[in-house]
Amino acid sequence: MSGGEALGPRGPEGAGACTGDVPSLKEIEQLLNTGRPSCNHVDEVWPNLFLGDLVTAHNRFVLWKMGVTHVLNAAHGTAYSHGGQDFYGATIDYYGVPAHDLPSFDISQFFFSAAQFIHNALNTPGAKILVHCAVGVSRSASLVLAYLMINHHLPLVEAIKTVKEHRWISPNRGFLKHLRNLDVQLRQKKDC
């Protein structure tokens, strides 16, 4: 399946001005494969927005030192994730997204609710948010990219470049298709 097939009946050739600038899936994957892999457990990828892994998410002392007030867990309920509101207590607002890091999983169903949680957190004075999954490169990265696209109107490529300035990310191919579709939808909403 080529990247253009995700567009539906309009396809890449008949997309017109609204989607003409949306890169193919292959071009997005090539962009993601640039740079060097990050070895950090957590990185600040946007002001007061941290993208990280379970090591960071499960260390309440580190979170306290970082000043984290909100946690979005993109691996909620999975075998490797023990986080939840009970784990963090009253000092951290928690939102769990039960996503599986599989290309067949429809992560797009959580794009808008996750973006709203991140947006609300970052509009709280003095707040900092950690968005994480198991490794912090696929599920959580996809939700952060969606947030930047929805709330800051960044095209997908610009959102990827923004995050990659601070952290290596690698959303799976299925998630990239959902993000590309979101890019198309947001462009159509804006331009058409």
Side-chain angles (χ1 to χ4, degrees), residues 102-118:
L102 300 169
S104 60
F105 184 82
D106 182 6
I107 198 165
S108 68
Q109 64 186 307
F110 298 108
F111 284 168
F112 285 92
S113 60
Q116 188 63 51
F117 182 78
I118 295 168

Side-chain angles (χ1 to χ4, degrees), residues 2 8-9 17 22 48 50 103 128-129 141 143 150 177 188 192:
S2 73
V22 178
N48 299 317
F50 295 84
K128 294 182 180 180
I129 183 168
L143 296 179
I150 293 165
K177 288 178 184 177
Q188 287 175 339
C192 296

Side-chain angles (χ1 to χ4, degrees), residues 6-30:
L7 286 173
R10 292 178 69 170
E13 291 80 24
C18 296
T19 60
D21 294 334
V22 178
S24 70
L25 195 57
K26 185 176 182 178
E27 290 169 324
I28 295 166
E29 288 173 330
Q30 288 172 341

Side-chain angles (χ1 to χ4, degrees), residues 105-154:
F105 184 82
D106 182 6
I107 198 165
S108 68
Q109 64 186 307
F110 298 108
F111 284 168
F112 285 92
S113 60
Q116 188 63 51
F117 182 78
I118 295 168
H119 178 73
N120 290 345
L122 294 177
N123 280 328
T124 302
K128 294 182 180 180
I129 183 168
L130 169 68
V131 181
H132 79 89
C133 53
V135 183
V137 299
S138 185
R139 289 171 281 192
S140 55
S142 297
L143 296 179
V144 167
L145 292 171
Y147 161 74
L148 293 173
M149 295 165 66
I150 293 165
N151 292 85
H152 294 282
H153 312 290
L154 296 181

